[in-house]
Amino acid sequence: MQVLENISLKPYNTFGINARAKFFAELHSDNDIAAFFSSLTPERMPFLILGGGSNILFTKDFEGSVGCIRSKGIVKLMEDDSHVYLKIAAGEVWDDVVKYAVDHGWGGIENLSLIPGNAGTGPVQNIGAYGVELKDVIYSVEVADVIARHYRAFRPADCEFGYRSSIFKKKAKDRFIITGICLKLDKQPVLKLDYGDIRQELKNAGINRPSISAVRDIIIKIRSRKLPDPSILGNAGSFFMNPVISADDFARLIRQFPLMPSFRSGDEIKIPGAWLIEQCGFKGKRFGDAGVHGQQPLVLVNYGSATGAEILALAEKIIGSVNRKFGLRMEKEVNIF
Ligand code: EPU
């Protein structure tokens, strides 16, 4: 492992923010991770672990050590009649993992196609799209415990998975570094086609008996139409989470705003933040190089040279506006540094 000094993080975050790290190292193996922690003398603290950099907004330089996980490897651990268990290194690009599974005919993650980021950061925010969440297919999460200085594995029941949330994002933030994940995939895939336009899109494409590969292609088509490609336009996917409120609160709101869309989420009601932001007039708006995406207003974008502080200021403006109009609080999904 080589520790570099005063490195621009622009290539390491999908928002393309030009913040600098005082110390920086790429970590290609468990040994590199151990070496990184040994390198953390007091003057090299604090530390930050980066995966694909797809859920982070830098608002200033990082005056400590950044470790960027780059470990690779997908291994079939075991299989039985119905399932295959894949061990995946944290540094694998998530969509490469989806492609690998789909190419082998193993089902479960095809709806999570094209989500930016790495395999190891997936559990942190329990990535989800089109009716599937990572928690549905996770068998275990392998971590390095920074405090106890050992390696261990979490079973899903201990991960406290919720909507875009987990123990790794909340209670155990900064304690565990995810070094790998194990997925349990179906050898006889069960397709999940109920979200939004998936069925209609398959029908439009003339596909009557879809395979997981056809589902992957359709999801890629829908996502590419609605969501900006970070390699072209800097962004971190949904910047906000959708507000989740009680049925009573929703009953009050819908009297005032009869056109408000909603989705059931267990006993609660999820309101599309995209609609709230659109109603406040921000859809497609641009303020300097910081903007709100024109097809999906939950996504904030960097048109080139926006600073993290400018993107954050836009986010706060949106939060204030939605709060004044609807009395709802939009929570940020992206990590702010
Ligand atoms: N909508 C609008 N205006 C728009 C776009 C959407 O009013 O311009 C409303 C519509 O009512 C639409 C609803 O928002 O039915 C939902 O839109 P969409 O299906 O795009 O989903 P979302 O709730 O906005 C979530 C995830 C996305 C994920 C999609 C698809 C969150 C925070 N975001 O978005 O995840 O791709 O569902 O499953 O839950 C991400 O986390 O980075 C991400 C992109």
Side-chain angles (χ1 to χ4, degrees):
M1 180 204 63
Q2 197 188 359
V3 178
L4 305 170
E5 291 187 36
N6 195 26
I7 291 294
S8 169
L9 294 171
K10 193 172 164 109
Y12 298 99
N13 71 99
T14 60
F15 252 125
I17 301 292
N18 189 21
R20 302 190 85 77
K22 202 165 178 187
F23 301 98
F24 178 89
E26 287 197 355
L27 313 176
H28 294 272
S29 62
D30 287 357
N31 279 346
D32 278 356
I33 293 174
F36 177 73
F37 279 99
S38 303
S39 79
L40 294 177
T41 50
E43 64 275 13
R44 290 194 175 190
M45 287 290 276
F47 76 89
L48 169 69
I49 296 291
L50 268 188
S54 60
N55 202 40
I56 195 161
L57 178 68
F58 289 105
T59 58
K60 51 185 180 303
D61 290 340
F62 193 80
E63 301 293 340
S65 302
V66 173
C68 189
I69 305 265
R70 284 286 182 262
S71 52
K72 299 283 180 201
I74 304 178
V75 177
K76 189 181 5 160
L77 274 188
M78 52 181 172
E79 67 183 304
D80 52 31
D81 289 344
S82 45
H83 294 105
V84 43
Y85 298 78
L86 287 189
K87 182 178 150 79
I88 298 147
E92 284 286 348
V93 172
W94 172 254
D95 194 56
D96 292 348
V97 178
V98 179
K99 183 172 185 315
Y100 182 92
V102 168
D103 285 349
H104 284 80
W106 300 324
I109 53 177
E110 57 281 357
N111 291 37
L112 304 180
S113 289
L114 216 61
I115 292 185
N118 288 359
T121 39
V124 179
Q125 50 157 351
N126 182 24
I127 53 171
Y130 306 100
V132 174
E133 290 184 328
L134 190 64
K135 73 170 172 55
D136 305 332
V137 290
I138 276 277
Y139 182 75
S140 63
V141 179
E142 291 164 10
V143 302
D145 185 331
V146 175
I147 294 172
R149 297 273 173 153
H150 65 191
Y151 292 93
R152 58 171 284 202
F154 274 75
R155 294 305 310 274
D158 302 321
C159 292
E160 300 179 14
F161 286 127
Y163 170 51
R164 289 300 188 283
S165 179
S166 73
I167 192 169
F168 310 110
K169 182 168 175 177
K170 296 271 172 70
K171 220 159 64 195
K173 194 168 184 275
D174 296 335
R175 170 155 191 184
F176 301 112
I177 294 170
I178 297 174
T179 56
I181 61 175
C182 182
L183 298 180
K184 180 181 175 183
L185 301 176
D186 290 320
K187 287 165 88 172
Q188 287 89 32
V190 182
L191 302 182
K192 297 188 186 66
L193 308 176
D194 290 332
Y195 187 97
D197 309 336
I198 300 180
R199 266 182 217 283
Q200 190 58 43
E201 292 276 352
L202 286 164
K203 212 169 142 200
N204 294 349
I207 299 166
N208 298 321
R209 296 181 51 213
S211 60
I212 51 173
S213 169
V215 173
R216 171 169 163 78
D217 290 346
I218 287 292
I219 300 279
I220 289 176
K221 200 166 144 198
I222 299 174
R223 283 188 79 92
S224 314
R225 207 164 49 210
K226 285 194 181 170
L227 295 163
D229 177 349
S231 67
I232 296 166
L233 187 61
N235 76 89
S238 297
F239 194 93
F240 304 99
M241 291 193 277
N242 291 317
V244 179
I245 60 176
S246 70
D248 286 351
D249 286 345
F250 179 67
R252 271 191 294 277
L253 264 177
I254 197 75
R255 274 199 293 275
Q256 207 183 341
F257 304 100
L259 297 179
M260 182 180 278
S262 62
F263 301 95
R264 191 154 267 291
S265 170
D267 292 339
E268 297 179 300
I269 309 287
K270 201 183 264 184
I271 314 289
W275 185 85
L276 300 169
I277 297 172
E278 184 172 355
Q279 295 299 306
C280 290
F282 284 99
K283 182 170 172 169
K285 282 279 161 63
R286 180 171 173 170
F287 305 82
D289 266 358
V292 179
H293 193 241
Q295 269 81 51
Q296 175 42 289
L298 271 189
V299 179
L300 301 187
V301 296
N302 175 8
Y303 282 99
S305 58
T307 63
E310 284 164 348
I311 304 250
L312 184 60
L314 173 56
E316 296 297 349
K317 205 157 143 171
I318 291 170
I319 290 170
S321 185
V322 168
N323 191 252
R324 279 190 299 279
K325 190 171 170 88
F326 298 103
L328 292 173
R329 179 137 191 97
M330 302 282 300
E331 298 286 346
K332 298 183 209 66
E333 185 194 323
V334 168
N335 294 305
I336 314 286
F337 271 92

